[in-house]
Amino acid sequence: MTGRQLLSAKIKEILKEHPDNDNYGVNRIQMALQQKGITVGKRTVYRAMKESGLLHKRRIPHGITKATTEIQEKENLLRRDFTANAPMKKLLTDITEVQCSDGKLYVSPILDCFNGEVVALGMQDNMKKELCIDTVKQLKKLYPNLNNVILHSDRGSQYTSEAFRNELKANGMIQSLSGTGHCFDNARMESFFATLKKEKIYRTAAYKLTREEVKTIIFRYIFIYYNRVRIYTGNSMGLPPVKYREWVAAQKEAA
């Protein structure tokens, strides 16, 4: 076998390690190879994947929440800086919709900027403010101390409602809001939705399944695969979110 054929074989082995790995693009494949001690350039990986028919087209979903001009302007605390030096300092949230056979399912995750981990997830058949409030309540159960934690979202009426703001205030959280019509102010959250839909929703033909079936698929994808298995290019060594958080904690303890 030629060097290119051997590389293609290694790439196929990586893709077979988990059913959802077949969504990997060039960057994640390169990191997966590095984790196995194989150092190779992105251009070489690209060529090998292209020759093997393993490249994917990109699909980008659009946001669905609407801004309300009546709400007093609040400062955008993040200013498109989606980095954090510790867990549970900066969180992002938004809502996306998924068409199911029995109607639409609305998905409300909360994502930690530190490692890209989804730390809470709400799913309902409507996108009322209660969906967002329930997601924060889930977060509170898992992380009792939310004092001074920043939660960033767009200016959808759900997030600017008095009930939602009161929920944040009761938990000691600080609200940050995107500028009106500034979709890039929450770009990292939109990137997560793009990944979720490209890698799972579109590939499982969710529109043919019931809401309850899709809920199970999304829950398993996020908490079993995305958080714990999938290579995350934004983390050192491409570590999945949970493993990166655990690695950083171990490094600090050892120091």
Side-chain angles (χ1 to χ4, degrees), residues 63 80 82 94 154 178-188 190:
R80 303 186 186 180
F82 304 118
D94 200 352
D154 65 16
S178 299
T180 301
H182 297 173
C183 60
F184 292 110
D185 285 353
N186 205 9
R188 192 170 181 185
E190 293 299 330

Side-chain angles (χ1 to χ4, degrees), residues 1 26 29 35 51 79 101-102 125 136 175 199 253:
M1 295 178 73
V26 174
I29 288 295
Q35 290 176 0
E51 290 174 1
R79 299 181 184 275
S101 63
D102 54 351
D125 61 2
V136 173
Q175 185 174 40
E199 294 191 359
E253 186 175 336

Side-chain angles (χ1 to χ4, degrees), residues 166-184:
N166 285 342
E167 182 66 28
L168 296 187
K169 185 177 180 180
N171 293 319
M173 300 181 75
I174 301 170
Q175 185 174 40
S176 173
L177 295 171
S178 299
T180 301
H182 297 173
C183 60
F184 292 110

Side-chain angles (χ1 to χ4, degrees), residues 19-43:
D20 287 322
N21 280 6
D22 65 355
N23 291 291
Y24 278 2
V26 174
N27 289 344
R28 287 187 176 80
I29 288 295
Q30 184 191 35
M31 284 189 165
L33 289 168
Q34 288 175 347
Q35 290 176 0
K36 295 179 182 297
I38 303 171
T39 301
V40 62
K42 288 184 181 179
R43 183 173 295 182

Side-chain angles (χ1 to χ4, degrees), residues 114-174:
F114 171 68
N115 59 346
E117 181 179 358
V118 176
V119 291
L121 177 68
M123 293 184 280
Q124 293 183 15
D125 61 2
N126 65 78
M127 56 184 291
K128 296 179 181 178
K129 61 180 179 293
E130 286 75 18
L131 168 60
C132 307
I133 293 171
D134 288 344
T135 308
V136 173
K137 287 181 177 179
Q138 284 188 35
L139 180 70
K140 178 68 174 179
K141 289 180 181 179
L142 296 170
Y143 301 88
N145 183 12
L146 296 175
N147 199 40
N148 292 323
V149 175
I150 296 174
L151 180 63
H152 182 84
S153 70
D154 65 16
R155 293 183 184 275
S157 59
Q158 302 90 338
Y159 302 114
T160 54
S161 68
E162 183 177 0
F164 182 79
R165 288 185 290 171
N166 285 342
E167 182 66 28
L168 296 187
K169 185 177 180 180
N171 293 319
M173 300 181 75
I174 301 170

Side-chain angles (χ1 to χ4, degrees), residues 22-249:
D22 65 355
N23 291 291
Y24 278 2
V26 174
N27 289 344
R28 287 187 176 80
I29 288 295
Q30 184 191 35
M31 284 189 165
L33 289 168
Q34 288 175 347
Q35 290 176 0
K36 295 179 182 297
I38 303 171
T39 301
V40 62
K42 288 184 181 179
R43 183 173 295 182
T44 302
V45 174
Y46 174 84
R47 288 174 179 170
M49 293 183 70
K50 184 177 182 180
E51 290 174 1
S52 301
L54 300 174
L55 296 176
H56 303 288
K57 292 183 178 180
R58 189 179 181 189
R59 297 181 68 174
I60 303 176
H62 300 286
I64 58 172
T65 53
K66 306 298 182 182
T68 54
T69 57
E70 298 84 3
I71 303 298
Q72 182 179 2
E73 289 290 315
K74 287 184 176 289
E75 184 178 6
N76 180 351
L77 301 180
L78 297 195
R79 299 181 184 275
R80 303 186 186 180
D81 178 5
F82 304 118
T83 61
N85 58 13
M88 301 302 295
K89 297 294 184 183
K90 296 179 185 176
L91 306 180
L92 308 175
T93 192
D94 200 352
I95 303 172
T96 194
E97 66 180 33
V98 178
Q99 183 62 54
C100 305
S101 63
D102 54 351
K104 291 180 179 179
L105 176 68
Y106 295 92
V107 183
S108 165
I110 295 178
L111 183 144
D112 193 335
C113 287
F114 171 68
N115 59 346
E117 181 179 358
V118 176
V119 291
L121 177 68
M123 293 184 280
Q124 293 183 15
D125 61 2
N126 65 78
M127 56 184 291
K128 296 179 181 178
K129 61 180 179 293
E130 286 75 18
L131 168 60
C132 307
I133 293 171
D134 288 344
T135 308
V136 173
K137 287 181 177 179
Q138 284 188 35
L139 180 70
K140 178 68 174 179
K141 289 180 181 179
L142 296 170
Y143 301 88
N145 183 12
L146 296 175
N147 199 40
N148 292 323
V149 175
I150 296 174
L151 180 63
H152 182 84
S153 70
D154 65 16
R155 293 183 184 275
S157 59
Q158 302 90 338
Y159 302 114
T160 54
S161 68
E162 183 177 0
F164 182 79
R165 288 185 290 171
N166 285 342
E167 182 66 28
L168 296 187
K169 185 177 180 180
N171 293 319
M173 300 181 75
I174 301 170
Q175 185 174 40
S176 173
L177 295 171
S178 299
T180 301
H182 297 173
C183 60
F184 292 110
D185 285 353
N186 205 9
R188 192 170 181 185
M189 193 74 245
E190 293 299 330
S191 178
F192 168 75
F193 285 149
T195 296
L196 171 65
K197 292 193 173 184
K198 180 189 72 173
E199 294 191 359
K200 206 63 186 175
I201 301 304
Y202 298 144
R203 293 168 67 87
T204 55
Y207 67 92
K208 296 180 180 180
L209 307 174
T210 65
R211 290 192 190 98
E212 290 304 313
E213 290 173 323
V214 175
K215 279 184 182 180
T216 299
I217 289 171
I218 292 175
F219 184 90
R220 288 177 176 171
Y221 170 81
I222 290 177
F223 292 108
I224 296 176
Y225 179 68
Y226 185 89
N227 276 354
R228 297 179 175 275
V229 177
R230 181 181 181 273
I231 286 177
Y232 197 91
T233 56
N235 292 337
S236 178
M237 300 174 289
L239 291 174
V242 171
K243 291 184 178 179
Y244 179 71
R245 170 167 51 79
E246 293 172 345
W247 177 79
V248 170

